[in-house]
Amino acid sequence: MKQETKLRILSVGAEIIHRKGFNHTGIQEILLAAGVPKGSFYNYFKNKEDFGLQVIDYFVEYFEGLAKGVLEDPSSPPLRRVYILLGHFIEFFKTKDFELGCPIGNLSQEMGDLSPVFREKLRFATHAMISRYTKVLEEARISGEIPNDLDIPNAAAFIVSSWHGALVQMKIMKNAAPLENHRRFIFDKVLRF
Amino acid sequence: MKQETKLRILSVGAEIIHRKGFNHTGIQEILLAAGVPKGSFYNYFKNKEDFGLQVIDYFVEYFEGLAKGVLEDPSSPPLRRVYILLGHFIEFFKTKDFELGCPIGNLSQEMGDLSPVFREKLRFATHAMISRYTKVLEEARISGEIPNDLDIPNAAAFIVSSWHGALVQMKIMKNAAPLENHRRFIFDKVLRF
């Protein structure tokens, strides 16, 4: 029950933070939206910074779960799994009216200059995402789906960074075009022979 | 003199906003940093929102000046001009310890979901940047530097969006690698034959 309440605060709080930004969101606002009594926040989190750092962990776990389910799915060829994962995110943002964006990208932009503790945690989260793409691209190279001379770690870093930029553009265009454009250029140009 | 003070508030304020975010920055803080008497803000701006919108105009003008100077410079071939412009930004962020990022990208991410007025202005600013890249890529196609079948408007949109994502990654990595990686993949993959 305690764990359940903590997870509710994290998931509701994460969504508010993605929409409004970390510094612009108050703890009371999160507790109200989560339907949790005022004052119980400190049963679960040391302070707002601790909460923010745990939001990052929460998202990394979510991404790792998706990565395991989609990027390691042996029923599709490796490159197809990347296509499916990006499509999964595109569908998700359609249901969210092209709001929110990625918590790792958003917090990197907002907190990257402001907090060394956030920066360290966000680097870890970003490296976790890059590692997942690196791993599946290595499989794609073995199966002959991408060129042998592709610089895989940097291609993976570029897939992640350009995805975050596509989400930034999505937030003002309010349509799927920037995300679909990202996937198209990654597949038709970056990963092609 | 009045115009000079206004420009000082805009340039100092823009830098603080790029570092801390719009909602996290107070008017008094900007005036203090600009060395302008408290209370004089409203001689130049209707309110904080008006100031934020003028920061966007200020940056678009800066970008347009650069674009005219670099992207229309007939002494370099068209594609080389894009390379030089991106290099110019990379050098700029080296002098800023890889802080700040792009005001258009930052504000798109922060304000895209929160304010229709900002969203509209940021769309205009983003389209202005995309148009500049579209124009120079069209010249590059005429001079045979890029493939005839490249979808230029979408390639231009992808250069801008992936650049914003590279800046997001720069803010946590605190080095030039994400920016250099962006330029490399744009040139070696997106624009190549």
Side-chain angles (χ1 to χ4, degrees):
Chain A
M1 186 60 190
K2 216 180 156 185
Q3 191 57 19
E4 201 185 286
T5 304
K6 184 178 177 178
L7 284 177
R8 192 162 72 247
I9 299 174
L10 278 171
S11 75
V12 169
E15 186 151 335
I16 298 174
I17 284 175
H18 306 163
R19 186 172 281 113
K20 296 186 57 183
F22 181 73
N23 289 310
H24 194 43
T25 299
I27 290 171
Q28 299 299 1
E29 185 180 357
I30 294 168
L31 294 175
L32 193 70
V36 171
K38 282 187 188 189
S40 73
F41 182 83
Y42 296 97
N43 297 336
Y44 307 104
F45 307 100
K46 266 181 281 178
N47 48 40
K48 195 182 165 194
E49 181 187 73
D50 179 44
F51 169 72
L53 297 172
Q54 290 202 43
V55 164
I56 300 171
D57 284 332
Y58 174 79
F59 179 76
V60 171
E61 273 175 44
Y62 164 80
F63 182 82
E64 288 292 316
L66 257 181
K68 275 204 184 72
V70 178
L71 295 184
E72 295 185 4
D73 176 8
S75 71
S76 300
L79 216 51
R80 180 78 197 152
R81 297 175 212 158
V82 177
Y83 194 88
I84 290 169
L85 182 66
L86 293 175
H88 172 96
F89 288 127
I90 293 171
E91 290 310 311
F92 171 80
F93 287 111
K94 281 181 186 168
T95 71
K96 295 288 181 183
D97 296 324
F98 309 107
E99 293 197 337
L100 308 176
C102 168
I104 306 304
N106 289 1
L107 287 169
S108 294
Q109 199 269 98
E110 182 181 4
M111 302 303 288
D113 291 350
L114 301 180
S115 160
V117 180
F118 268 87
R119 193 156 65 231
E120 205 52 51
K121 177 70 97 178
L122 288 160
R123 267 186 208 165
F124 164 80
T126 301
H127 283 306
M129 292 192 286
I130 293 172
S131 293
R132 283 289 177 180
Y133 284 107
T134 299
K135 203 175 153 197
V136 73
L137 289 181
E138 273 162 4
E139 284 187 68
R141 174 152 66 189
I142 289 165
S143 65
E145 293 183 289
I146 55 173
N148 252 318
D149 65 351
L150 183 71
D151 175 352
I152 287 180
N154 279 320
F158 184 65
I159 290 173
V160 171
S161 71
S162 56
W163 173 251
H164 285 154
L167 289 169
V168 168
Q169 209 170 83
M170 172 198 82
K171 288 186 86 164
I172 54 164
M173 300 303 178
K174 292 292 176 229
N175 61 44
L179 309 184
E180 283 160 356
N181 204 37
H182 167 269
R183 187 168 66 170
R184 195 156 66 87
F185 278 99
I186 293 298
F187 273 82
D188 291 357
K189 297 290 180 180
V190 173
L191 301 175
R192 73 155 180 163
F193 279 90
Chain B
M1 185 61 188
K2 216 182 154 184
Q3 190 58 19
E4 201 185 285
T5 304
K6 184 177 176 176
L7 284 177
R8 193 162 71 248
I9 298 174
L10 279 171
S11 74
V12 169
E15 185 151 334
I16 298 175
I17 284 176
H18 304 165
R19 186 172 280 112
K20 296 185 57 183
F22 181 74
N23 289 310
H24 194 44
T25 300
I27 291 171
Q28 298 298 2
E29 184 179 358
I30 294 169
L31 294 175
L32 193 70
V36 171
K38 283 187 188 191
S40 74
F41 182 84
Y42 296 97
N43 296 337
Y44 307 104
F45 308 101
K46 266 181 280 178
N47 48 39
K48 194 182 165 195
E49 182 186 72
D50 179 44
F51 169 73
L53 297 172
Q54 290 202 43
V55 164
I56 299 171
D57 285 332
Y58 173 80
F59 179 77
V60 171
E61 273 175 44
Y62 165 82
F63 182 83
E64 288 291 317
L66 258 180
K68 273 202 186 73
V70 179
L71 295 183
E72 294 184 5
D73 176 8
S75 71
S76 300
L79 216 50
R80 179 78 198 152
R81 298 174 211 159
V82 176
Y83 194 88
I84 291 169
L85 182 65
L86 293 175
H88 172 98
F89 287 127
I90 293 172
E91 292 308 312
F92 171 80
F93 287 111
K94 282 181 186 167
T95 71
K96 295 289 182 183
D97 296 325
F98 309 108
E99 292 197 337
L100 307 178
C102 168
I104 306 305
N106 290 0
L107 287 169
S108 293
Q109 199 269 99
E110 182 181 3
M111 302 303 287
D113 291 349
L114 300 181
S115 161
V117 180
F118 268 87
R119 192 156 65 232
E120 205 51 53
K121 179 71 96 176
L122 288 161
R123 265 186 210 166
F124 165 80
T126 301
H127 283 306
M129 292 192 287
I130 294 172
S131 293
R132 283 288 176 181
Y133 284 107
T134 299
K135 203 175 153 197
V136 73
L137 290 181
E138 272 162 3
E139 284 187 68
R141 174 152 66 188
I142 289 164
S143 65
E145 293 184 288
I146 55 172
N148 253 319
D149 65 351
L150 183 71
D151 176 352
I152 287 180
N154 279 320
F158 183 65
I159 291 172
V160 171
S161 73
S162 57
W163 172 252
H164 285 153
L167 288 169
V168 168
Q169 209 170 83
M170 173 198 81
K171 288 186 87 164
I172 53 164
M173 301 302 179
K174 292 293 176 226
N175 61 44
L179 308 185
E180 283 160 356
N181 203 36
H182 167 269
R183 187 168 67 170
R184 194 156 67 88
F185 277 99
I186 293 299
F187 274 80
D188 291 359
K189 298 290 180 179
V190 172
L191 301 175
R192 73 156 180 163
F193 278 90

